[in-house]
Amino acid sequence: MMTGFRLNFTPLKEPLCFVKLVEWLTAIFAFGCCGGYSGKNIVSLFCGDGRNETLDANFHYPFRLSQVPLVEGNATLCNRSVTETHMVGDSASSAEFFVGIAVVCFLYSMVALLVYLGYMHVYKDSDFGPIFDFVITAILVFLWLVCSSAWAKGLQNVKDATDTAGIGATLALCKGSNVTCEVTEFASMRTLNISVVFGFLNMLVWAGNAWFVYKETRWHSQKFSSQPAPARQQVPAPI
């Protein structure tokens, strides 16, 4: 059996390899839309004496909001002394889990493409390669489901903590009867929403790819080889 590297782009025409290329691209979109995010909400304070003041609510990946100051140091707002205040919430675990799975899938897709395009003759002639590929693919389908669901919940927590109700509950000054707090400018979270969509899209793509990988394993070939061949209908001999 030849084991040397032989570059061949023909497998790209087959679903096994083409879907892996799609997985590589969707993984890039998933971690790219989430990993580099940075946003800022503008909080307006409407004081009882008619004056207005503003605060910046900055947040970014990995969304450890409890470490982000909303009011830095001791400050005077609406003629009141306000101590240092941080935002509430921590979605770092779900965000980092999501990005980590996306990066792992990106790297695994690159390695798989290298095997398909350069070592397909070895891949098809061995039992270990397709079975290993199928097991890893099935595991990653499950991990995409878990991390996408967790990140969808984490993103909702970020939205709740940075909207008007969340800021109002965090800042003690906003609980006064003569001070009204409102988020007047919202950071665009379009890319974060897109990252969640690509997370579940990756799950579907990897689930579809699992079938094509399974067809390359000996489990699939044994299933069909074990089926009895249809009996031939006997034709009566001429008299």
Side-chain angles (χ1 to χ4, degrees):
M1 179 178 64
M2 299 294 292
T3 59
F5 179 82
R6 292 187 292 182
L7 183 61
N8 182 13
F9 291 101
T10 302
L12 281 175
K13 300 178 181 179
E14 301 176 2
L16 177 68
C17 188
F18 179 76
V19 175
K20 192 66 68 179
L21 179 62
V22 174
E23 292 171 347
W24 180 73
L25 293 173
T26 53
I28 293 176
F29 281 105
F31 71 75
C33 290
C34 178
Y37 180 84
S38 179
K40 179 177 69 173
N41 285 1
I42 304 297
V43 183
S44 297
L45 308 180
F46 302 99
C47 307
D49 56 4
R51 293 185 301 109
N52 297 338
E53 300 194 37
T54 59
L55 294 174
D56 294 340
N58 297 284
F59 53 98
H60 53 80
Y61 175 85
F63 308 103
R64 290 189 175 92
L65 301 182
S66 58
Q67 299 180 6
V68 178
L70 184 60
V71 178
E72 297 186 14
N74 294 325
T76 301
L77 299 171
C78 295
N79 295 325
R80 293 187 183 182
S81 179
V82 181
T83 59
E84 182 172 347
T85 305
H86 292 76
M87 288 191 284
V88 177
D90 189 344
S91 298
S93 58
S94 59
E96 290 175 339
F97 181 37
F98 179 82
V99 171
I101 295 300
V103 171
V104 168
C105 290
F106 166 76
L107 296 176
Y108 182 75
S109 298
M110 284 201 338
V111 174
L113 283 172
L114 176 64
V115 172
Y116 295 162
L117 298 179
Y119 297 95
M120 182 59 79
H121 53 291
V122 179
Y123 180 88
K124 287 184 175 292
D125 290 341
S126 66
D127 290 336
F128 174 78
I131 291 177
F132 177 82
D133 195 12
F134 174 73
V135 171
I136 295 300
T137 301
I139 293 174
L140 290 176
V141 171
F142 175 73
L143 290 178
W144 270 120
L145 173 62
V146 175
C147 74
S148 299
S149 301
W151 171 228
K153 181 61 170 63
L155 176 57
Q156 186 59 50
N157 293 339
V158 172
K159 293 179 179 179
D160 292 340
T162 56
D163 65 6
T164 297
I167 297 296
T170 302
L171 196 59
L173 179 66
C174 301
K175 300 175 184 179
S177 59
N178 61 341
V179 178
T180 302
C181 301
E182 181 180 350
V183 178
T184 53
E185 292 186 25
F186 288 88
S188 175
M189 296 190 183
R190 185 180 298 110
T191 56
L192 297 182
N193 294 329
I194 292 175
S195 70
V196 173
V197 173
F198 270 101
F200 288 105
L201 177 62
N202 270 284
M203 182 198 69
L204 296 176
V205 173
W206 282 82
N209 183 235
W211 165 249
F212 297 109
V213 178
Y214 172 72
K215 290 176 65 176
E216 299 296 328
T217 64
R218 57 184 171 86
W219 301 327
H220 182 267
S221 59
Q222 288 176 353
K223 177 181 177 181
F224 282 89
S225 61
S226 61
Q227 293 180 356
R232 294 183 178 180
Q233 185 177 4
Q234 295 184 352
V235 179
I239 299 177

PDB file of all heavy atoms in Angstrom, residues 102-129:
ATOM      1  N   ALA A 102     -15.261  26.022  18.338  1.00  0.00           N
ATOM      2  CA  ALA A 102     -15.146  26.494  16.951  1.00  0.00           C
ATOM      3  C   ALA A 102     -13.699  26.414  16.473  1.00  0.00           C
ATOM      4  O   ALA A 102     -13.444  26.011  15.324  1.00  0.00           O
ATOM      5  CB  ALA A 102     -15.667  27.931  16.849  1.00  0.00           C
ATOM      6  N   VAL A 103     -12.750  26.766  17.315  1.00  0.00           N
ATOM      7  CA  VAL A 103     -11.342  26.704  16.927  1.00  0.00           C
ATOM      8  C   VAL A 103     -10.900  25.252  16.741  1.00  0.00           C
ATOM      9  O   VAL A 103     -10.170  24.926  15.788  1.00  0.00           O
ATOM     10  CB  VAL A 103     -10.465  27.412  17.981  1.00  0.00           C
ATOM     11  CG1 VAL A 103      -8.985  27.175  17.713  1.00  0.00           C
ATOM     12  CG2 VAL A 103     -10.747  28.905  17.996  1.00  0.00           C
ATOM     13  N   VAL A 104     -11.337  24.364  17.629  1.00  0.00           N
ATOM     14  CA  VAL A 104     -11.000  22.947  17.496  1.00  0.00           C
ATOM     15  C   VAL A 104     -11.538  22.390  16.177  1.00  0.00           C
ATOM     16  O   VAL A 104     -10.837  21.665  15.452  1.00  0.00           O
ATOM     17  CB  VAL A 104     -11.554  22.152  18.690  1.00  0.00           C
ATOM     18  CG1 VAL A 104     -11.473  20.650  18.427  1.00  0.00           C
ATOM     19  CG2 VAL A 104     -10.790  22.487  19.957  1.00  0.00           C
ATOM     20  N   CYS A 105     -12.777  22.741  15.840  1.00  0.00           N
ATOM     21  CA  CYS A 105     -13.365  22.273  14.587  1.00  0.00           C
ATOM     22  C   CYS A 105     -12.659  22.862  13.374  1.00  0.00           C
ATOM     23  O   CYS A 105     -12.505  22.195  12.340  1.00  0.00           O
ATOM     24  CB  CYS A 105     -14.851  22.617  14.553  1.00  0.00           C
ATOM     25  SG  CYS A 105     -15.841  21.669  15.718  1.00  0.00           S
ATOM     26  N   PHE A 106     -12.241  24.112  13.486  1.00  0.00           N
ATOM     27  CA  PHE A 106     -11.480  24.742  12.405  1.00  0.00           C
ATOM     28  C   PHE A 106     -10.180  23.987  12.156  1.00  0.00           C
ATOM     29  O   PHE A 106      -9.836  23.669  11.002  1.00  0.00           O
ATOM     30  CB  PHE A 106     -11.205  26.197  12.787  1.00  0.00           C
ATOM     31  CG  PHE A 106     -10.169  26.884  11.946  1.00  0.00           C
ATOM     32  CD1 PHE A 106     -10.456  27.313  10.668  1.00  0.00           C
ATOM     33  CD2 PHE A 106      -8.893  27.095  12.444  1.00  0.00           C
ATOM     34  CE1 PHE A 106      -9.505  27.941   9.890  1.00  0.00           C
ATOM     35  CE2 PHE A 106      -7.927  27.725  11.672  1.00  0.00           C
ATOM     36  CZ  PHE A 106      -8.234  28.145  10.401  1.00  0.00           C
ATOM     37  N   LEU A 107      -9.462  23.649  13.230  1.00  0.00           N
ATOM     38  CA  LEU A 107      -8.186  22.943  13.090  1.00  0.00           C
ATOM     39  C   LEU A 107      -8.398  21.510  12.602  1.00  0.00           C
ATOM     40  O   LEU A 107      -7.665  21.023  11.738  1.00  0.00           O
ATOM     41  CB  LEU A 107      -7.440  22.943  14.425  1.00  0.00           C
ATOM     42  CG  LEU A 107      -7.016  24.315  14.952  1.00  0.00           C
ATOM     43  CD1 LEU A 107      -6.383  24.187  16.334  1.00  0.00           C
ATOM     44  CD2 LEU A 107      -6.048  24.991  13.993  1.00  0.00           C
ATOM     45  N   TYR A 108      -9.424  20.840  13.146  1.00  0.00           N
ATOM     46  CA  TYR A 108      -9.673  19.458  12.721  1.00  0.00           C
ATOM     47  C   TYR A 108     -10.089  19.395  11.252  1.00  0.00           C
ATOM     48  O   TYR A 108      -9.694  18.476  10.529  1.00  0.00           O
ATOM     49  CB  TYR A 108     -10.755  18.829  13.596  1.00  0.00           C
ATOM     50  CG  TYR A 108     -11.032  17.387  13.232  1.00  0.00           C
ATOM     51  CD1 TYR A 108     -10.138  16.384  13.596  1.00  0.00           C
ATOM     52  CD2 TYR A 108     -12.166  17.036  12.500  1.00  0.00           C
ATOM     53  CE1 TYR A 108     -10.373  15.067  13.244  1.00  0.00           C
ATOM     54  CE2 TYR A 108     -12.405  15.720  12.141  1.00  0.00           C
ATOM     55  CZ  TYR A 108     -11.504  14.744  12.522  1.00  0.00           C
ATOM     56  OH  TYR A 108     -11.729  13.425  12.163  1.00  0.00           O
ATOM     57  N   SER A 109     -10.868  20.370  10.809  1.00  0.00           N
ATOM     58  CA  SER A 109     -11.281  20.408   9.400  1.00  0.00           C
ATOM     59  C   SER A 109     -10.078  20.580   8.492  1.00  0.00           C
ATOM     60  O   SER A 109     -10.005  19.970   7.415  1.00  0.00           O
ATOM     61  CB  SER A 109     -12.282  21.537   9.169  1.00  0.00           C
ATOM     62  OG  SER A 109     -13.458  21.349   9.919  1.00  0.00           O
ATOM     63  N   MET A 110      -9.110  21.405   8.913  1.00  0.00           N
ATOM     64  CA  MET A 110      -7.902  21.597   8.101  1.00  0.00           C
ATOM     65  C   MET A 110      -7.105  20.305   7.994  1.00  0.00           C
ATOM     66  O   MET A 110      -6.629  19.938   6.916  1.00  0.00           O
ATOM     67  CB  MET A 110      -7.032  22.708   8.704  1.00  0.00           C
ATOM     68  CG  MET A 110      -7.581  24.089   8.440  1.00  0.00           C
ATOM     69  SD  MET A 110      -6.367  25.432   8.560  1.00  0.00           S
ATOM     70  CE  MET A 110      -5.093  24.807   9.556  1.00  0.00           C
ATOM     71  N   VAL A 111      -6.963  19.597   9.122  1.00  0.00           N
ATOM     72  CA  VAL A 111      -6.225  18.335   9.109  1.00  0.00           C
ATOM     73  C   VAL A 111      -6.958  17.306   8.249  1.00  0.00           C
ATOM     74  O   VAL A 111      -6.342  16.578   7.459  1.00  0.00           O
ATOM     75  CB  VAL A 111      -6.031  17.814  10.547  1.00  0.00           C
ATOM     76  CG1 VAL A 111      -5.400  16.420  10.527  1.00  0.00           C
ATOM     77  CG2 VAL A 111      -5.167  18.769  11.353  1.00  0.00           C
ATOM     78  N   ALA A 112      -8.290  17.244   8.386  1.00  0.00           N
ATOM     79  CA  ALA A 112      -9.067  16.289   7.595  1.00  0.00           C
ATOM     80  C   ALA A 112      -8.963  16.586   6.100  1.00  0.00           C
ATOM     81  O   ALA A 112      -8.848  15.674   5.282  1.00  0.00           O
ATOM     82  CB  ALA A 112     -10.530  16.322   8.043  1.00  0.00           C
ATOM     83  N   LEU A 113      -9.014  17.873   5.745  1.00  0.00           N
ATOM     84  CA  LEU A 113      -8.860  18.236   4.331  1.00  0.00           C
ATOM     85  C   LEU A 113      -7.493  17.828   3.801  1.00  0.00           C
ATOM     86  O   LEU A 113      -7.368  17.376   2.653  1.00  0.00           O
ATOM     87  CB  LEU A 113      -9.065  19.744   4.163  1.00  0.00           C
ATOM     88  CG  LEU A 113     -10.513  20.242   4.204  1.00  0.00           C
ATOM     89  CD1 LEU A 113     -10.553  21.763   4.231  1.00  0.00           C
ATOM     90  CD2 LEU A 113     -11.304  19.722   3.019  1.00  0.00           C
ATOM     91  N   LEU A 114      -6.464  17.980   4.620  1.00  0.00           N
ATOM     92  CA  LEU A 114      -5.118  17.557   4.205  1.00  0.00           C
ATOM     93  C   LEU A 114      -5.099  16.055   3.953  1.00  0.00           C
ATOM     94  O   LEU A 114      -4.499  15.586   2.962  1.00  0.00           O
ATOM     95  CB  LEU A 114      -4.109  17.939   5.292  1.00  0.00           C
ATOM     96  CG  LEU A 114      -2.660  17.486   5.058  1.00  0.00           C
ATOM     97  CD1 LEU A 114      -2.085  18.164   3.813  1.00  0.00           C
ATOM     98  CD2 LEU A 114      -1.794  17.783   6.271  1.00  0.00           C
ATOM     99  N   VAL A 115      -5.745  15.280   4.803  1.00  0.00           N
ATOM    100  CA  VAL A 115      -5.788  13.825   4.625  1.00  0.00           C
ATOM    101  C   VAL A 115      -6.588  13.462   3.382  1.00  0.00           C
ATOM    102  O   VAL A 115      -6.160  12.628   2.570  1.00  0.00           O
ATOM    103  CB  VAL A 115      -6.403  13.167   5.871  1.00  0.00           C
ATOM    104  CG1 VAL A 115      -6.630  11.676   5.635  1.00  0.00           C
ATOM    105  CG2 VAL A 115      -5.503  13.367   7.079  1.00  0.00           C
ATOM    106  N   TYR A 116      -7.733  14.108   3.193  1.00  0.00           N
ATOM    107  CA  TYR A 116      -8.575  13.790   2.042  1.00  0.00           C
ATOM    108  C   TYR A 116      -7.875  14.113   0.722  1.00  0.00           C
ATOM    109  O   TYR A 116      -7.998  13.363  -0.250  1.00  0.00           O
ATOM    110  CB  TYR A 116      -9.887  14.562   2.106  1.00  0.00           C
ATOM    111  CG  TYR A 116     -10.793  14.198   3.260  1.00  0.00           C
ATOM    112  CD1 TYR A 116     -11.818  15.049   3.657  1.00  0.00           C
ATOM    113  CD2 TYR A 116     -10.631  13.008   3.958  1.00  0.00           C
ATOM    114  CE1 TYR A 116     -12.662  14.729   4.721  1.00  0.00           C
ATOM    115  CE2 TYR A 116     -11.458  12.679   5.023  1.00  0.00           C
ATOM    116  CZ  TYR A 116     -12.471  13.545   5.392  1.00  0.00           C
ATOM    117  OH  TYR A 116     -13.293  13.228   6.444  1.00  0.00           O
ATOM    118  N   LEU A 117      -7.185  15.239   0.685  1.00  0.00           N
ATOM    119  CA  LEU A 117      -6.577  15.688  -0.572  1.00  0.00           C
ATOM    120  C   LEU A 117      -5.212  15.059  -0.833  1.00  0.00           C
ATOM    121  O   LEU A 117      -4.773  15.004  -1.982  1.00  0.00           O
ATOM    122  CB  LEU A 117      -6.442  17.211  -0.575  1.00  0.00           C
ATOM    123  CG  LEU A 117      -7.756  18.006  -0.485  1.00  0.00           C
ATOM    124  CD1 LEU A 117      -7.482  19.501  -0.484  1.00  0.00           C
ATOM    125  CD2 LEU A 117      -8.681  17.646  -1.645  1.00  0.00           C
ATOM    126  N   GLY A 118      -4.526  14.592   0.201  1.00  0.00           N
ATOM    127  CA  GLY A 118      -3.189  14.049   0.006  1.00  0.00           C
ATOM    128  C   GLY A 118      -3.025  12.587   0.343  1.00  0.00           C
ATOM    129  O   GLY A 118      -2.109  11.930  -0.155  1.00  0.00           O
ATOM    130  N   TYR A 119      -3.909  12.075   1.195  1.00  0.00           N
ATOM    131  CA  TYR A 119      -3.753  10.689   1.645  1.00  0.00           C
ATOM    132  C   TYR A 119      -5.060   9.913   1.531  1.00  0.00           C
ATOM    133  O   TYR A 119      -5.308   8.995   2.322  1.00  0.00           O
ATOM    134  CB  TYR A 119      -3.277  10.663   3.104  1.00  0.00           C
ATOM    135  CG  TYR A 119      -1.917  11.274   3.319  1.00  0.00           C
ATOM    136  CD1 TYR A 119      -1.792  12.609   3.709  1.00  0.00           C
ATOM    137  CD2 TYR A 119      -0.748  10.528   3.135  1.00  0.00           C
ATOM    138  CE1 TYR A 119      -0.553  13.183   3.915  1.00  0.00           C
ATOM    139  CE2 TYR A 119       0.500  11.091   3.344  1.00  0.00           C
ATOM    140  CZ  TYR A 119       0.588  12.423   3.728  1.00  0.00           C
ATOM    141  OH  TYR A 119       1.825  12.983   3.929  1.00  0.00           O
ATOM    142  N   MET A 120      -5.906  10.262   0.584  1.00  0.00           N
ATOM    143  CA  MET A 120      -7.172   9.559   0.436  1.00  0.00           C
ATOM    144  C   MET A 120      -6.956   8.078   0.129  1.00  0.00           C
ATOM    145  O   MET A 120      -7.760   7.222   0.554  1.00  0.00           O
ATOM    146  CB  MET A 120      -8.018  10.210  -0.660  1.00  0.00           C
ATOM    147  CG  MET A 120      -9.394   9.571  -0.849  1.00  0.00           C
ATOM    148  SD  MET A 120     -10.409   9.629   0.653  1.00  0.00           S
ATOM    149  CE  MET A 120     -10.999  11.313   0.596  1.00  0.00           C
ATOM    150  N   HIS A 121      -5.885   7.740  -0.571  1.00  0.00           N
ATOM    151  CA  HIS A 121      -5.606   6.334  -0.881  1.00  0.00           C
ATOM    152  C   HIS A 121      -5.305   5.549   0.397  1.00  0.00           C
ATOM    153  O   HIS A 121      -5.651   4.381   0.513  1.00  0.00           O
ATOM    154  CB  HIS A 121      -4.434   6.225  -1.863  1.00  0.00           C
ATOM    155  CG  HIS A 121      -3.193   6.949  -1.431  1.00  0.00           C
ATOM    156  ND1 HIS A 121      -3.121   8.322  -1.375  1.00  0.00           N
ATOM    157  CD2 HIS A 121      -1.986   6.486  -1.003  1.00  0.00           C
ATOM    158  CE1 HIS A 121      -1.922   8.682  -0.961  1.00  0.00           C
ATOM    159  NE2 HIS A 121      -1.219   7.599  -0.717  1.00  0.00           N
ATOM    160  N   VAL A 122      -4.703   6.193   1.367  1.00  0.00           N
ATOM    161  CA  VAL A 122      -4.449   5.532   2.650  1.00  0.00           C
ATOM    162  C   VAL A 122      -5.735   5.491   3.474  1.00  0.00           C
ATOM    163  O   VAL A 122      -6.039   4.501   4.137  1.00  0.00           O
ATOM    164  CB  VAL A 122      -3.335   6.267   3.418  1.00  0.00           C
ATOM    165  CG1 VAL A 122      -3.076   5.604   4.766  1.00  0.00           C
ATOM    166  CG2 VAL A 122      -2.058   6.313   2.594  1.00  0.00           C
ATOM    167  N   TYR A 123      -6.484   6.587   3.446  1.00  0.00           N
ATOM    168  CA  TYR A 123      -7.721   6.709   4.224  1.00  0.00           C
ATOM    169  C   TYR A 123      -8.714   5.622   3.852  1.00  0.00           C
ATOM    170  O   TYR A 123      -9.311   4.983   4.733  1.00  0.00           O
ATOM    171  CB  TYR A 123      -8.318   8.098   3.972  1.00  0.00           C
ATOM    172  CG  TYR A 123      -9.600   8.389   4.695  1.00  0.00           C
ATOM    173  CD1 TYR A 123      -9.590   8.926   5.976  1.00  0.00           C
ATOM    174  CD2 TYR A 123     -10.845   8.154   4.087  1.00  0.00           C
ATOM    175  CE1 TYR A 123     -10.781   9.208   6.651  1.00  0.00           C
ATOM    176  CE2 TYR A 123     -12.031   8.439   4.741  1.00  0.00           C
ATOM    177  CZ  TYR A 123     -11.993   8.973   6.021  1.00  0.00           C
ATOM    178  OH  TYR A 123     -13.161   9.251   6.676  1.00  0.00           O
ATOM    179  N   LYS A 124      -8.907   5.372   2.553  1.00  0.00           N
ATOM    180  CA  LYS A 124      -9.892   4.388   2.104  1.00  0.00           C
ATOM    181  C   LYS A 124      -9.422   2.955   2.283  1.00  0.00           C
ATOM    182  O   LYS A 124     -10.243   2.034   2.370  1.00  0.00           O
ATOM    183  CB  LYS A 124     -10.242   4.636   0.629  1.00  0.00           C
ATOM    184  CG  LYS A 124     -11.105   5.880   0.399  1.00  0.00           C
ATOM    185  CD  LYS A 124     -11.486   6.018  -1.050  1.00  0.00           C
ATOM    186  CE  LYS A 124     -12.448   7.183  -1.274  1.00  0.00           C
ATOM    187  NZ  LYS A 124     -13.773   6.929  -0.666  1.00  0.00           N
ATOM    188  N   ASP A 125      -8.100   2.732   2.338  1.00  0.00           N
ATOM    189  CA  ASP A 125      -7.573   1.375   2.459  1.00  0.00           C
ATOM    190  C   ASP A 125      -7.414   0.929   3.906  1.00  0.00           C
ATOM    191  O   ASP A 125      -6.996  -0.205   4.159  1.00  0.00           O
ATOM    192  CB  ASP A 125      -6.214   1.267   1.749  1.00  0.00           C
ATOM    193  CG  ASP A 125      -6.359   1.343   0.239  1.00  0.00           C
ATOM    194  OD1 ASP A 125      -7.482   1.118  -0.246  1.00  0.00           O
ATOM    195  OD2 ASP A 125      -5.359   1.645  -0.440  1.00  0.00           O
ATOM    196  N   SER A 126      -7.722   1.804   4.859  1.00  0.00           N
ATOM    197  CA  SER A 126      -7.553   1.448   6.266  1.00  0.00           C
ATOM    198  C   SER A 126      -8.896   1.479   6.986  1.00  0.00           C
ATOM    199  O   SER A 126      -9.825   2.166   6.568  1.00  0.00           O
ATOM    200  CB  SER A 126      -6.573   2.410   6.948  1.00  0.00           C
ATOM    201  OG  SER A 126      -7.115   3.710   7.010  1.00  0.00           O
ATOM    202  N   ASP A 127      -8.986   0.730   8.081  1.00  0.00           N
ATOM    203  CA  ASP A 127     -10.182   0.752   8.919  1.00  0.00           C
ATOM    204  C   ASP A 127     -10.110   1.858   9.963  1.00  0.00           C
ATOM    205  O   ASP A 127     -11.133   2.424  10.343  1.00  0.00           O
ATOM    206  CB  ASP A 127     -10.364  -0.597   9.624  1.00  0.00           C
ATOM    207  CG  ASP A 127     -10.752  -1.704   8.664  1.00  0.00           C
ATOM    208  OD1 ASP A 127     -11.320  -1.385   7.595  1.00  0.00           O
ATOM    209  OD2 ASP A 127     -10.479  -2.883   8.962  1.00  0.00           O
ATOM    210  N   PHE A 128      -8.911   2.167  10.442  1.00  0.00           N
ATOM    211  CA  PHE A 128      -8.755   3.117  11.543  1.00  0.00           C
ATOM    212  C   PHE A 128      -9.156   4.529  11.141  1.00  0.00           C
ATOM    213  O   PHE A 128      -9.857   5.213  11.891  1.00  0.00           O
ATOM    214  CB  PHE A 128      -7.302   3.115  12.036  1.00  0.00           C
ATOM    215  CG  PHE A 128      -7.028   4.173  13.065  1.00  0.00           C
ATOM    216  CD1 PHE A 128      -7.427   3.992  14.381  1.00  0.00           C
ATOM    217  CD2 PHE A 128      -6.374   5.347  12.713  1.00  0.00           C
ATOM    218  CE1 PHE A 128      -7.177   4.970  15.338  1.00  0.00           C
ATOM    219  CE2 PHE A 128      -6.118   6.319  13.659  1.00  0.00           C
ATOM    220  CZ  PHE A 128      -6.528   6.134  14.979  1.00  0.00           C
ATOM    221  N   GLY A 129      -8.726   4.963   9.947  1.00  0.00           N
ATOM    222  CA  GLY A 129      -8.980   6.340   9.525  1.00  0.00           C
ATOM    223  C   GLY A 129     -10.456   6.706   9.488  1.00  0.00           C
ATOM    224  O   GLY A 129     -10.882   7.653  10.162  1.00  0.00           O
TER     225      GLY A 129
END
